[in-house]
């Protein structure tokens, strides 16, 4: 006689039996439209300059940046976030290239808008660290401290010149108190209510920024712990979130992404605006370095890391693999 009801009666493995089954029941999916490409453009170079700490990433020329933007459109990603790297001799205490209409970032914004129009969201980093000779994200006072309110005045001017240059979205990233409200007011004053703000709401003072410093030619001495957030804190992040929303942020972001998935999930659960996360340079470089050593499967690791960020609640992900991954997703 056959005996039925043998243990176990519930077998979750039935939903993992083959690739089609696993694809059908997948709870989280990556799509090219989820991705945004951070890109660096360097003044005064005739060829793209490889970034040693970020294999496969370069400081673009104006021409190679336009090509990268066109490739991003073809791949179906949603945006490109531009970082300008001025000539060293042009940096000063106030970050003048950041508000010069002919500064490299503003020139690059015009280039990319002319290349892609509205087929790609053209985003601009709104911060002074790339343009100051001291490398901090703001103006320094007589004691060498970052002056919050003096910096806000610079951010307001930056927002206006970036909007005039063609930015669809500005990303105030300096972690100054009140930055979102000041940027919103500055944009509205020149009739640019259409320009959106992607607020760097949760930005931790992270060791994972290391390779980025090379990417933007940072002149920083010291650290940014007096304005970027303490990695130990959660409630502080939620307080920053409430303030940015009150000041008019259209979208909010968590940076870094991978080490702070718990924060990303908390932010995503708390808001009804789009949430982004930035998979930063150190996250990129760790995977590339381990893959180069043959220690991990590069392609699987990239997709796993991005899926984890998406699963934690990010609607959009800034990643240096954006175009590559989007092309592979389209081919699946």
């Amino acid at each position: 006689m056959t005996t039925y009801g043998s243990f176990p009666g519930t077998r979750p493995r039935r939903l993992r039996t083959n690739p089609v089954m696993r694809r059908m029941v997948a709870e989280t999916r990556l799509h090219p439209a989820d991705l945004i490409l951070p890109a660096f453009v360097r003044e005064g170079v005739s060829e793209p300059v490889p970034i040693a700490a970020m294999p496969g990433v370069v400081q673009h020329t104006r021409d190679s940046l336009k090509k990268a933007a066109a490739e991003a459109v073809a791949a179906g990603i949603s945006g490109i976030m531009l970082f300008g790297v001025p000539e060293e001799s042009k940096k000063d205490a106030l970050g003048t290239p950041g508000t010069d209409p002919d500064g490299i970032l503003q020139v690059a914004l015009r280039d990319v808008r002319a290349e892609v129009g509205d087929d790609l969201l053209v985003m601009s980093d709104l911060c002074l660290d790339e343009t100051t000779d001291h490398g901090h994200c703001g103006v320094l006072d007589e004691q060498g401290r970052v002056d919050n309110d003096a910096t806000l005045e610079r951010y307001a001017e930056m927002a206006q010149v970036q909007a005039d240059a063609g930015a669809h979205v500005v990303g105030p990233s300096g972690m100054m108190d009140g930055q979102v409200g000041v940027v919103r007011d500055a944009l509205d004053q020149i009739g640019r209510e259409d320009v959106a703000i992607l607020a760097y709401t949760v930005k931790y003072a992270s060791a994972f920024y290391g390779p980025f410093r090379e990417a933007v030619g940072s002149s920083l001495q010291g650290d940014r712990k007096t304005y970027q957030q303490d990695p130990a804190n959660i409630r502080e992040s939620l307080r920053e979130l409430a303030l940015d929303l009150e000041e008019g942020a259209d979208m909010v972001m968590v940076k870094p992404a991978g080490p702070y998935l718990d924060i990303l999930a908390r932010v995503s659960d708390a808001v009804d605006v789009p949430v982004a996360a930035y998979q930063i340079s150190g996250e990129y470089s760790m995977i590339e370095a381990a893959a180069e050593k043959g220690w991990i499967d590069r392609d699987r690791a990239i997709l796993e890391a991005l899926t984890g960020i998406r699963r934690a609640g990010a609607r959009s992900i800034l990643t240096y693999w954006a175009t590559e991954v989007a092309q592979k997703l389209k081919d699946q």
Side-chain angles (χ1 to χ4, degrees), residues 5 12 44 86 90 101 123 164 209 219 237 242 257 262 285 288 297 316 328:
K90 294 184 178 179
M123 305 177 172
D164 285 342
Y209 296 133
S219 305
S237 299
D262 59 327
S285 296
E288 289 288 353
D297 182 320
S316 301
K328 291 176 179 176

Side-chain angles (χ1 to χ4, degrees), residues 136 140-146:
H136 277 288
L140 303 184
D141 64 16
E142 294 179 355
Q143 286 75 45
R145 302 169 301 187
V146 175

Side-chain angles (χ1 to χ4, degrees), residues 12-19 21-22 25:
R13 287 183 56 190
R14 295 188 190 106
L15 301 182
R16 306 171 196 152
T17 51
N18 61 58
M21 176 67 81
R22 293 192 293 272
V25 302

